[in-house]
Amino acid sequence: MEFTSTIKQNYEFRRLYSKGKSCANAYLVVYCRKNRAGRSRIGYTVSNKVGHAVVRNRIRRRLREIYRLHERQIARGYDLVVVSRVRACTADYHQLEAAFLSACAQLGLLTEGDDGV
C-alpha cells in the first residue's frame, strides 16, 4: 500500500464508528473521516459471526487486495474502516470489489485519478 498505513488501535476504530460518515450495503460497511495527515489510514474488521479464522482471514485478504488495487482512485487524507458483514463469506471477489467501490463512491472518496491497473 503505497499511500496508506493501517489503523490498529481500538480507540481509533471507536472514533471512526462514532464520528465518521458511513455507508452500508449487503456485504460491508465503510466508515470514513478526514484526518489531518496527508496519508490515508485503513483498518479492517471481520467479526467472529462471519465464520472461522480461515474464512475471516480470506475476507480480510480480499479486502486488502481490493484496496491495494484501487488505492490510487481513493482520495488521500482519510481514515477508513471496512467492516465485513456475514454475507461477505459467501460473496466472491468481484462482488466484494463492487460493494467496496460503490460504498466509496457514495461517501465521495473516489477521485478521477488513474486506476493504476
Side-chain angles (χ1 to χ4, degrees), residues 51-112:
H52 298 293
V54 173
V55 175
R56 293 193 308 267
N57 289 332
R58 182 183 308 126
I59 292 169
R60 202 173 294 119
R61 281 194 308 269
R62 285 180 177 176
L63 290 173
R64 276 197 301 261
E65 181 65 9
I66 289 166
Y67 182 80
R68 186 187 71 81
L69 291 176
H70 297 285
E71 184 176 18
R72 292 182 182 274
Q73 297 174 350
I74 296 172
R76 293 189 193 124
Y78 283 89
D79 289 343
L80 295 171
V81 170
V82 182
V83 180
S84 174
R85 289 187 161 177
V86 175
R87 289 185 64 188
C89 66
T90 60
D92 65 357
Y93 176 84
H94 298 292
Q95 290 171 322
L96 282 178
E97 183 178 33
F100 177 75
L101 291 176
S102 70
C104 287
Q106 289 179 11
L107 289 170
L109 296 175
L110 293 184
T111 61
E112 294 296 323

Short mmCIF file of all heavy atoms in Angstrom, two decimals, residues 51-112:
data_model
loop_
_atom_site.label_atom_id
_atom_site.label_comp_id
_atom_site.label_asym_id
_atom_site.label_seq_id
_atom_site.Cartn_x
_atom_site.Cartn_y
_atom_site.Cartn_z
N GLY A 51 -17.45 -16.27 10.47
CA GLY A 51 -17.01 -17.64 10.27
C GLY A 51 -15.75 -17.93 11.06
O GLY A 51 -15.33 -17.14 11.90
N HIS A 52 -15.17 -19.07 10.77
CA HIS A 52 -13.93 -19.46 11.44
C HIS A 52 -12.76 -18.63 10.94
O HIS A 52 -12.90 -17.84 10.01
CB HIS A 52 -13.66 -20.95 11.21
CG HIS A 52 -14.74 -21.83 11.76
ND1 HIS A 52 -14.96 -21.94 13.12
CD2 HIS A 52 -15.65 -22.61 11.16
CE1 HIS A 52 -15.97 -22.77 13.32
NE2 HIS A 52 -16.41 -23.18 12.14
N ALA A 53 -11.60 -18.81 11.53
CA ALA A 53 -10.43 -17.99 11.24
C ALA A 53 -10.05 -18.03 9.76
O ALA A 53 -9.65 -17.01 9.19
CB ALA A 53 -9.25 -18.43 12.09
N VAL A 54 -10.18 -19.19 9.14
CA VAL A 54 -9.81 -19.30 7.72
C VAL A 54 -10.70 -18.40 6.87
O VAL A 54 -10.23 -17.69 5.99
CB VAL A 54 -9.92 -20.77 7.27
CG1 VAL A 54 -9.71 -20.90 5.78
CG2 VAL A 54 -8.93 -21.63 8.01
N VAL A 55 -11.99 -18.41 7.15
CA VAL A 55 -12.94 -17.60 6.40
C VAL A 55 -12.69 -16.12 6.65
O VAL A 55 -12.66 -15.31 5.71
CB VAL A 55 -14.39 -17.99 6.80
CG1 VAL A 55 -15.40 -17.09 6.12
CG2 VAL A 55 -14.66 -19.43 6.46
N ARG A 56 -12.50 -15.74 7.91
CA ARG A 56 -12.26 -14.34 8.25
C ARG A 56 -10.99 -13.83 7.60
O ARG A 56 -10.96 -12.72 7.06
CB ARG A 56 -12.17 -14.17 9.77
CG ARG A 56 -13.47 -14.43 10.48
CD ARG A 56 -13.44 -13.94 11.91
NE ARG A 56 -12.31 -14.41 12.68
CZ ARG A 56 -12.30 -15.50 13.44
NH1 ARG A 56 -13.38 -16.26 13.50
NH2 ARG A 56 -11.23 -15.83 14.13
N ASN A 57 -9.92 -14.63 7.63
CA ASN A 57 -8.66 -14.20 7.01
C ASN A 57 -8.77 -14.10 5.50
O ASN A 57 -8.17 -13.21 4.89
CB ASN A 57 -7.53 -15.15 7.40
CG ASN A 57 -7.14 -15.00 8.84
OD1 ASN A 57 -7.28 -13.92 9.42
ND2 ASN A 57 -6.66 -16.07 9.45
N ARG A 58 -9.55 -14.98 4.87
CA ARG A 58 -9.76 -14.90 3.42
C ARG A 58 -10.46 -13.59 3.06
O ARG A 58 -10.07 -12.90 2.11
CB ARG A 58 -10.57 -16.09 2.92
CG ARG A 58 -10.76 -16.05 1.41
CD ARG A 58 -11.62 -17.18 0.87
NE ARG A 58 -11.16 -18.47 1.34
CZ ARG A 58 -11.94 -19.35 1.98
NH1 ARG A 58 -13.20 -19.06 2.23
NH2 ARG A 58 -11.46 -20.51 2.35
N ILE A 59 -11.49 -13.24 3.82
CA ILE A 59 -12.21 -11.99 3.56
C ILE A 59 -11.27 -10.80 3.76
O ILE A 59 -11.24 -9.87 2.95
CB ILE A 59 -13.44 -11.89 4.47
CG1 ILE A 59 -14.47 -12.95 4.08
CG2 ILE A 59 -14.06 -10.50 4.39
CD1 ILE A 59 -15.60 -13.10 5.06
N ARG A 60 -10.48 -10.82 4.82
CA ARG A 60 -9.55 -9.73 5.10
C ARG A 60 -8.52 -9.60 3.98
O ARG A 60 -8.19 -8.49 3.54
CB ARG A 60 -8.87 -9.98 6.44
CG ARG A 60 -8.33 -8.75 7.09
CD ARG A 60 -7.80 -9.00 8.48
NE ARG A 60 -8.88 -9.36 9.40
CZ ARG A 60 -8.96 -10.53 10.07
NH1 ARG A 60 -8.02 -11.43 9.94
NH2 ARG A 60 -9.96 -10.77 10.87
N ARG A 61 -8.00 -10.72 3.50
CA ARG A 61 -7.02 -10.68 2.40
C ARG A 61 -7.65 -10.11 1.13
O ARG A 61 -7.02 -9.32 0.42
CB ARG A 61 -6.48 -12.08 2.11
CG ARG A 61 -5.43 -12.55 3.07
CD ARG A 61 -4.70 -13.78 2.54
NE ARG A 61 -5.59 -14.85 2.14
CZ ARG A 61 -6.01 -15.83 2.93
NH1 ARG A 61 -5.62 -15.89 4.18
NH2 ARG A 61 -6.80 -16.78 2.47
N ARG A 62 -8.87 -10.52 0.85
CA ARG A 62 -9.55 -9.99 -0.34
C ARG A 62 -9.78 -8.49 -0.22
O ARG A 62 -9.55 -7.74 -1.18
CB ARG A 62 -10.90 -10.69 -0.54
CG ARG A 62 -10.76 -12.09 -1.07
CD ARG A 62 -12.12 -12.72 -1.25
NE ARG A 62 -11.98 -14.06 -1.82
CZ ARG A 62 -12.99 -14.87 -2.02
NH1 ARG A 62 -14.21 -14.52 -1.67
NH2 ARG A 62 -12.79 -16.05 -2.56
N LEU A 63 -10.21 -8.03 0.93
CA LEU A 63 -10.44 -6.59 1.12
C LEU A 63 -9.14 -5.80 1.01
O LEU A 63 -9.12 -4.72 0.42
CB LEU A 63 -11.11 -6.34 2.47
CG LEU A 63 -12.55 -6.81 2.59
CD1 LEU A 63 -13.05 -6.66 4.01
CD2 LEU A 63 -13.45 -6.07 1.61
N ARG A 64 -8.05 -6.33 1.55
CA ARG A 64 -6.76 -5.66 1.42
C ARG A 64 -6.33 -5.56 -0.04
O ARG A 64 -5.80 -4.53 -0.48
CB ARG A 64 -5.69 -6.38 2.24
CG ARG A 64 -5.66 -5.97 3.68
CD ARG A 64 -4.36 -6.37 4.34
NE ARG A 64 -4.10 -7.79 4.30
CZ ARG A 64 -4.32 -8.63 5.29
NH1 ARG A 64 -4.82 -8.21 6.42
NH2 ARG A 64 -4.04 -9.91 5.16
N GLU A 65 -6.54 -6.62 -0.79
CA GLU A 65 -6.16 -6.62 -2.20
C GLU A 65 -7.03 -5.66 -3.01
O GLU A 65 -6.53 -4.95 -3.88
CB GLU A 65 -6.26 -8.03 -2.77
CG GLU A 65 -5.85 -8.15 -4.22
CD GLU A 65 -4.38 -7.84 -4.48
OE1 GLU A 65 -3.60 -7.70 -3.53
OE2 GLU A 65 -4.02 -7.74 -5.66
N ILE A 66 -8.31 -5.63 -2.71
CA ILE A 66 -9.21 -4.69 -3.40
C ILE A 66 -8.75 -3.26 -3.14
O ILE A 66 -8.66 -2.45 -4.06
CB ILE A 66 -10.66 -4.91 -2.94
CG1 ILE A 66 -11.19 -6.23 -3.48
CG2 ILE A 66 -11.54 -3.75 -3.37
CD1 ILE A 66 -12.48 -6.70 -2.84
N TYR A 67 -8.43 -2.96 -1.90
CA TYR A 67 -7.97 -1.61 -1.58
C TYR A 67 -6.63 -1.32 -2.27
O TYR A 67 -6.43 -0.24 -2.81
CB TYR A 67 -7.83 -1.42 -0.08
CG TYR A 67 -7.41 -0.01 0.26
CD1 TYR A 67 -8.33 1.02 0.27
CD2 TYR A 67 -6.07 0.29 0.52
CE1 TYR A 67 -7.94 2.31 0.54
CE2 TYR A 67 -5.68 1.58 0.79
CZ TYR A 67 -6.61 2.59 0.80
OH TYR A 67 -6.23 3.87 1.06
N ARG A 68 -5.73 -2.27 -2.27
CA ARG A 68 -4.41 -2.07 -2.88
C ARG A 68 -4.54 -1.76 -4.36
O ARG A 68 -3.87 -0.86 -4.89
CB ARG A 68 -3.54 -3.30 -2.68
CG ARG A 68 -2.11 -3.12 -3.16
CD ARG A 68 -1.33 -4.42 -3.10
NE ARG A 68 -1.75 -5.38 -4.10
CZ ARG A 68 -1.36 -5.36 -5.39
NH1 ARG A 68 -0.53 -4.45 -5.81
NH2 ARG A 68 -1.79 -6.29 -6.23
N LEU A 69 -5.42 -2.47 -5.05
CA LEU A 69 -5.57 -2.26 -6.49
C LEU A 69 -6.24 -0.93 -6.83
O LEU A 69 -5.99 -0.36 -7.88
CB LEU A 69 -6.36 -3.42 -7.11
CG LEU A 69 -5.63 -4.76 -7.13
CD1 LEU A 69 -6.55 -5.84 -7.66
CD2 LEU A 69 -4.36 -4.68 -7.95
N HIS A 70 -7.09 -0.44 -5.95
CA HIS A 70 -7.84 0.79 -6.22
C HIS A 70 -7.37 1.96 -5.36
O HIS A 70 -8.05 2.98 -5.29
CB HIS A 70 -9.33 0.53 -5.99
CG HIS A 70 -9.89 -0.49 -6.92
ND1 HIS A 70 -10.15 -0.22 -8.25
CD2 HIS A 70 -10.21 -1.79 -6.73
CE1 HIS A 70 -10.62 -1.31 -8.83
NE2 HIS A 70 -10.65 -2.28 -7.93
N GLU A 71 -6.21 1.83 -4.76
CA GLU A 71 -5.71 2.86 -3.85
C GLU A 71 -5.54 4.21 -4.54
O GLU A 71 -5.81 5.26 -3.95
CB GLU A 71 -4.38 2.40 -3.27
CG GLU A 71 -3.81 3.31 -2.24
CD GLU A 71 -2.53 2.75 -1.65
OE1 GLU A 71 -1.92 1.86 -2.25
OE2 GLU A 71 -2.16 3.23 -0.58
N ARG A 72 -5.12 4.21 -5.78
CA ARG A 72 -4.91 5.46 -6.50
C ARG A 72 -6.21 6.19 -6.81
O ARG A 72 -6.20 7.39 -7.03
CB ARG A 72 -4.15 5.21 -7.79
CG ARG A 72 -2.73 4.77 -7.57
CD ARG A 72 -2.00 4.58 -8.89
NE ARG A 72 -0.66 4.11 -8.69
CZ ARG A 72 0.39 4.91 -8.46
NH1 ARG A 72 0.20 6.20 -8.39
NH2 ARG A 72 1.58 4.40 -8.29
N GLN A 73 -7.33 5.47 -6.82
CA GLN A 73 -8.62 6.09 -7.11
C GLN A 73 -9.25 6.70 -5.87
O GLN A 73 -10.18 7.49 -5.97
CB GLN A 73 -9.59 5.05 -7.67
CG GLN A 73 -9.18 4.47 -8.98
CD GLN A 73 -10.11 3.35 -9.41
OE1 GLN A 73 -10.94 2.89 -8.65
NE2 GLN A 73 -9.96 2.90 -10.64
N ILE A 74 -8.78 6.34 -4.68
CA ILE A 74 -9.40 6.78 -3.43
C ILE A 74 -8.67 8.02 -2.93
O ILE A 74 -7.44 8.07 -2.92
CB ILE A 74 -9.37 5.64 -2.40
CG1 ILE A 74 -10.21 4.49 -2.93
CG2 ILE A 74 -9.88 6.10 -1.05
CD1 ILE A 74 -10.13 3.24 -2.11
N ALA A 75 -9.44 9.01 -2.53
CA ALA A 75 -8.88 10.28 -2.07
C ALA A 75 -7.96 10.06 -0.87
O ALA A 75 -8.23 9.21 -0.02
CB ALA A 75 -10.01 11.24 -1.69
N ARG A 76 -6.91 10.84 -0.81
CA ARG A 76 -5.95 10.71 0.29
C ARG A 76 -6.35 11.62 1.45
O ARG A 76 -7.08 12.58 1.28
CB ARG A 76 -4.55 11.09 -0.19
CG ARG A 76 -4.04 10.10 -1.19
CD ARG A 76 -2.57 10.33 -1.51
NE ARG A 76 -2.24 9.56 -2.69
CZ ARG A 76 -1.72 10.07 -3.78
NH1 ARG A 76 -1.46 11.34 -3.85
NH2 ARG A 76 -1.46 9.29 -4.82
N GLY A 77 -5.82 11.29 2.63
CA GLY A 77 -6.09 12.11 3.79
C GLY A 77 -7.33 11.68 4.56
O GLY A 77 -7.89 12.48 5.31
N TYR A 78 -7.73 10.43 4.41
CA TYR A 78 -8.90 9.93 5.12
C TYR A 78 -8.53 8.71 5.94
O TYR A 78 -7.66 7.94 5.58
CB TYR A 78 -10.00 9.52 4.13
CG TYR A 78 -10.76 10.69 3.56
CD1 TYR A 78 -10.31 11.32 2.41
CD2 TYR A 78 -11.90 11.16 4.17
CE1 TYR A 78 -11.00 12.40 1.89
CE2 TYR A 78 -12.60 12.22 3.65
CZ TYR A 78 -12.15 12.85 2.51
OH TYR A 78 -12.83 13.91 2.00
N ASP A 79 -9.24 8.55 7.06
CA ASP A 79 -9.20 7.31 7.83
C ASP A 79 -10.38 6.48 7.38
O ASP A 79 -11.52 6.98 7.31
CB ASP A 79 -9.30 7.57 9.32
CG ASP A 79 -8.05 8.22 9.88
OD1 ASP A 79 -7.01 8.17 9.22
OD2 ASP A 79 -8.13 8.76 11.00
N LEU A 80 -10.15 5.21 7.08
CA LEU A 80 -11.21 4.30 6.62
C LEU A 80 -11.23 3.07 7.51
O LEU A 80 -10.18 2.57 7.89
CB LEU A 80 -10.95 3.83 5.19
CG LEU A 80 -10.98 4.83 4.06
CD1 LEU A 80 -10.48 4.18 2.78
CD2 LEU A 80 -12.37 5.33 3.85
N VAL A 81 -12.43 2.60 7.80
CA VAL A 81 -12.60 1.30 8.44
C VAL A 81 -13.61 0.54 7.61
O VAL A 81 -14.70 1.03 7.31
CB VAL A 81 -13.08 1.43 9.91
CG1 VAL A 81 -13.48 0.07 10.45
CG2 VAL A 81 -12.01 2.02 10.77
N VAL A 82 -13.24 -0.68 7.22
CA VAL A 82 -14.11 -1.55 6.44
C VAL A 82 -14.56 -2.68 7.36
O VAL A 82 -13.73 -3.44 7.85
CB VAL A 82 -13.37 -2.11 5.20
CG1 VAL A 82 -14.30 -2.97 4.38
CG2 VAL A 82 -12.80 -0.99 4.37
N VAL A 83 -15.86 -2.75 7.59
CA VAL A 83 -16.44 -3.77 8.46
C VAL A 83 -17.16 -4.78 7.58
O VAL A 83 -18.07 -4.42 6.83
CB VAL A 83 -17.42 -3.16 9.47
CG1 VAL A 83 -18.01 -4.23 10.36
CG2 VAL A 83 -16.73 -2.09 10.30
N SER A 84 -16.75 -6.02 7.67
CA SER A 84 -17.34 -7.08 6.87
C SER A 84 -18.63 -7.56 7.52
O SER A 84 -18.73 -7.69 8.73
CB SER A 84 -16.35 -8.24 6.74
OG SER A 84 -16.96 -9.31 6.08
N ARG A 85 -19.62 -7.85 6.70
CA ARG A 85 -20.87 -8.42 7.18
C ARG A 85 -20.88 -9.92 6.92
O ARG A 85 -20.04 -10.46 6.21
CB ARG A 85 -22.06 -7.76 6.49
CG ARG A 85 -22.27 -6.34 6.94
CD ARG A 85 -23.52 -5.78 6.38
NE ARG A 85 -23.94 -4.62 7.16
CZ ARG A 85 -24.99 -3.89 6.86
NH1 ARG A 85 -25.73 -4.20 5.82
NH2 ARG A 85 -25.31 -2.86 7.59
N VAL A 86 -21.87 -10.61 7.48
CA VAL A 86 -21.93 -12.07 7.40
C VAL A 86 -22.05 -12.54 5.95
O VAL A 86 -21.44 -13.54 5.56
CB VAL A 86 -23.10 -12.61 8.25
CG1 VAL A 86 -23.26 -14.10 8.08
CG2 VAL A 86 -22.88 -12.27 9.71
N ARG A 87 -22.77 -11.81 5.13
CA ARG A 87 -22.94 -12.23 3.73
C ARG A 87 -21.65 -12.17 2.93
O ARG A 87 -21.56 -12.73 1.84
CB ARG A 87 -24.00 -11.37 3.05
CG ARG A 87 -25.40 -11.69 3.56
CD ARG A 87 -26.45 -10.93 2.83
NE ARG A 87 -26.50 -11.32 1.43
CZ ARG A 87 -27.25 -10.69 0.53
NH1 ARG A 87 -27.99 -9.67 0.89
NH2 ARG A 87 -27.25 -11.08 -0.72
N ALA A 88 -20.63 -11.52 3.45
CA ALA A 88 -19.35 -11.42 2.73
C ALA A 88 -18.66 -12.78 2.61
O ALA A 88 -17.86 -12.98 1.69
CB ALA A 88 -18.43 -10.43 3.42
N CYS A 89 -18.97 -13.71 3.50
CA CYS A 89 -18.30 -15.01 3.44
C CYS A 89 -18.77 -15.82 2.23
O CYS A 89 -18.04 -16.69 1.75
CB CYS A 89 -18.47 -15.79 4.74
SG CYS A 89 -20.14 -16.29 5.09
N THR A 90 -19.97 -15.55 1.71
CA THR A 90 -20.45 -16.26 0.52
C THR A 90 -20.21 -15.49 -0.77
O THR A 90 -20.45 -16.01 -1.85
CB THR A 90 -21.96 -16.56 0.65
OG1 THR A 90 -22.67 -15.32 0.78
CG2 THR A 90 -22.23 -17.45 1.84
N ALA A 91 -19.73 -14.24 -0.65
CA ALA A 91 -19.50 -13.40 -1.82
C ALA A 91 -18.18 -13.75 -2.48
O ALA A 91 -17.22 -14.13 -1.81
CB ALA A 91 -19.50 -11.93 -1.42
N ASP A 92 -18.15 -13.64 -3.80
CA ASP A 92 -16.88 -13.83 -4.48
C ASP A 92 -16.14 -12.48 -4.54
O ASP A 92 -16.64 -11.45 -4.09
CB ASP A 92 -17.07 -14.45 -5.86
CG ASP A 92 -17.82 -13.54 -6.83
OD1 ASP A 92 -18.25 -12.45 -6.42
OD2 ASP A 92 -17.98 -13.94 -8.00
N TYR A 93 -14.94 -12.53 -5.10
CA TYR A 93 -14.07 -11.35 -5.12
C TYR A 93 -14.72 -10.17 -5.83
O TYR A 93 -14.67 -9.04 -5.36
CB TYR A 93 -12.75 -11.72 -5.80
CG TYR A 93 -11.82 -10.56 -5.96
CD1 TYR A 93 -10.98 -10.18 -4.92
CD2 TYR A 93 -11.77 -9.83 -7.14
CE1 TYR A 93 -10.11 -9.11 -5.05
CE2 TYR A 93 -10.91 -8.76 -7.28
CZ TYR A 93 -10.09 -8.40 -6.24
OH TYR A 93 -9.26 -7.34 -6.37
N HIS A 94 -15.36 -10.42 -6.96
CA HIS A 94 -15.93 -9.34 -7.76
C HIS A 94 -17.12 -8.68 -7.06
O HIS A 94 -17.32 -7.47 -7.20
CB HIS A 94 -16.31 -9.85 -9.15
CG HIS A 94 -15.12 -10.35 -9.91
ND1 HIS A 94 -14.12 -9.53 -10.36
CD2 HIS A 94 -14.75 -11.60 -10.28
CE1 HIS A 94 -13.19 -10.23 -10.98
NE2 HIS A 94 -13.55 -11.50 -10.94
N GLN A 95 -17.89 -9.45 -6.31
CA GLN A 95 -18.99 -8.87 -5.56
C GLN A 95 -18.46 -7.97 -4.44
O GLN A 95 -19.00 -6.88 -4.22
CB GLN A 95 -19.88 -9.96 -4.97
CG GLN A 95 -20.68 -10.71 -6.02
CD GLN A 95 -21.38 -11.92 -5.44
OE1 GLN A 95 -20.83 -12.61 -4.58
NE2 GLN A 95 -22.59 -12.19 -5.92
N LEU A 96 -17.41 -8.41 -3.75
CA LEU A 96 -16.81 -7.58 -2.71
C LEU A 96 -16.20 -6.32 -3.30
O LEU A 96 -16.31 -5.23 -2.72
CB LEU A 96 -15.74 -8.36 -1.95
CG LEU A 96 -16.21 -9.36 -0.91
CD1 LEU A 96 -15.01 -10.08 -0.31
CD2 LEU A 96 -17.01 -8.70 0.17
N GLU A 97 -15.56 -6.46 -4.44
CA GLU A 97 -14.95 -5.30 -5.10
C GLU A 97 -16.01 -4.28 -5.48
O GLU A 97 -15.86 -3.07 -5.22
CB GLU A 97 -14.18 -5.76 -6.33
CG GLU A 97 -13.44 -4.66 -7.05
CD GLU A 97 -12.65 -5.19 -8.23
OE1 GLU A 97 -13.10 -6.17 -8.87
OE2 GLU A 97 -11.59 -4.63 -8.51
N ALA A 98 -17.10 -4.73 -6.08
CA ALA A 98 -18.18 -3.82 -6.46
C ALA A 98 -18.81 -3.16 -5.24
O ALA A 98 -19.14 -1.97 -5.26
CB ALA A 98 -19.24 -4.58 -7.26
N ALA A 99 -18.98 -3.93 -4.15
CA ALA A 99 -19.56 -3.38 -2.94
C ALA A 99 -18.66 -2.32 -2.33
O ALA A 99 -19.13 -1.25 -1.89
CB ALA A 99 -19.81 -4.50 -1.93
N PHE A 100 -17.35 -2.57 -2.29
CA PHE A 100 -16.41 -1.60 -1.73
C PHE A 100 -16.38 -0.32 -2.56
O PHE A 100 -16.43 0.78 -2.03
CB PHE A 100 -15.01 -2.22 -1.63
CG PHE A 100 -13.98 -1.26 -1.13
CD1 PHE A 100 -13.94 -0.93 0.22
CD2 PHE A 100 -13.06 -0.70 -1.98
CE1 PHE A 100 -12.99 -0.04 0.70
CE2 PHE A 100 -12.11 0.19 -1.51
CZ PHE A 100 -12.07 0.52 -0.16
N LEU A 101 -16.30 -0.47 -3.87
CA LEU A 101 -16.22 0.72 -4.73
C LEU A 101 -17.50 1.53 -4.70
O LEU A 101 -17.46 2.76 -4.72
CB LEU A 101 -15.87 0.31 -6.16
CG LEU A 101 -14.45 -0.23 -6.36
CD1 LEU A 101 -14.25 -0.69 -7.78
CD2 LEU A 101 -13.43 0.82 -5.98
N SER A 102 -18.65 0.87 -4.63
CA SER A 102 -19.91 1.62 -4.56
C SER A 102 -20.03 2.35 -3.23
O SER A 102 -20.50 3.49 -3.18
CB SER A 102 -21.10 0.70 -4.78
OG SER A 102 -21.28 -0.16 -3.69
N ALA A 103 -19.57 1.74 -2.13
CA ALA A 103 -19.60 2.42 -0.84
C ALA A 103 -18.68 3.63 -0.85
O ALA A 103 -19.04 4.70 -0.35
CB ALA A 103 -19.22 1.45 0.27
N CYS A 104 -17.48 3.48 -1.43
CA CYS A 104 -16.56 4.60 -1.51
C CYS A 104 -17.13 5.72 -2.38
O CYS A 104 -16.97 6.91 -2.08
CB CYS A 104 -15.21 4.15 -2.06
SG CYS A 104 -14.26 3.20 -0.87
N ALA A 105 -17.80 5.36 -3.46
CA ALA A 105 -18.40 6.36 -4.33
C ALA A 105 -19.51 7.12 -3.60
O ALA A 105 -19.63 8.35 -3.73
CB ALA A 105 -18.95 5.70 -5.59
N GLN A 106 -20.32 6.42 -2.83
CA GLN A 106 -21.39 7.08 -2.08
C GLN A 106 -20.84 8.02 -1.01
O GLN A 106 -21.47 9.01 -0.67
CB GLN A 106 -22.32 6.06 -1.46
CG GLN A 106 -23.18 5.34 -2.48
CD GLN A 106 -24.09 4.29 -1.84
OE1 GLN A 106 -24.23 4.23 -0.64
NE2 GLN A 106 -24.69 3.47 -2.69
N LEU A 107 -19.67 7.70 -0.47
CA LEU A 107 -19.05 8.56 0.53
C LEU A 107 -18.25 9.69 -0.11
O LEU A 107 -17.72 10.55 0.59
CB LEU A 107 -18.13 7.73 1.43
CG LEU A 107 -18.83 6.78 2.39
CD1 LEU A 107 -17.83 5.85 3.04
CD2 LEU A 107 -19.61 7.55 3.44
N GLY A 108 -18.12 9.69 -1.43
CA GLY A 108 -17.40 10.73 -2.13
C GLY A 108 -15.89 10.58 -2.05
O GLY A 108 -15.16 11.56 -2.13
N LEU A 109 -15.42 9.34 -1.91
CA LEU A 109 -13.98 9.09 -1.77
C LEU A 109 -13.29 8.81 -3.09
O LEU A 109 -12.06 8.85 -3.14
CB LEU A 109 -13.75 7.92 -0.82
CG LEU A 109 -14.19 8.12 0.62
CD1 LEU A 109 -14.02 6.84 1.40
CD2 LEU A 109 -13.41 9.24 1.25
N LEU A 110 -14.02 8.50 -4.13
CA LEU A 110 -13.39 8.15 -5.40
C LEU A 110 -13.01 9.42 -6.15
O LEU A 110 -13.77 10.37 -6.25
CB LEU A 110 -14.32 7.30 -6.26
CG LEU A 110 -14.60 5.90 -5.74
CD1 LEU A 110 -15.46 5.14 -6.73
CD2 LEU A 110 -13.33 5.13 -5.45
N THR A 111 -11.80 9.43 -6.68
CA THR A 111 -11.32 10.57 -7.46
C THR A 111 -11.25 10.15 -8.92
O THR A 111 -11.41 9.00 -9.27
CB THR A 111 -9.92 11.00 -6.97
OG1 THR A 111 -9.02 9.91 -7.17
CG2 THR A 111 -9.93 11.40 -5.52
N GLU A 112 -10.93 11.11 -9.75
CA GLU A 112 -10.85 10.85 -11.19
C GLU A 112 -9.45 10.46 -11.62
O GLU A 112 -9.12 10.50 -12.78
CB GLU A 112 -11.29 12.09 -11.96
CG GLU A 112 -12.74 12.44 -11.77
CD GLU A 112 -13.68 11.39 -12.32
OE1 GLU A 112 -13.37 10.80 -13.38
OE2 GLU A 112 -14.73 11.16 -11.70
#
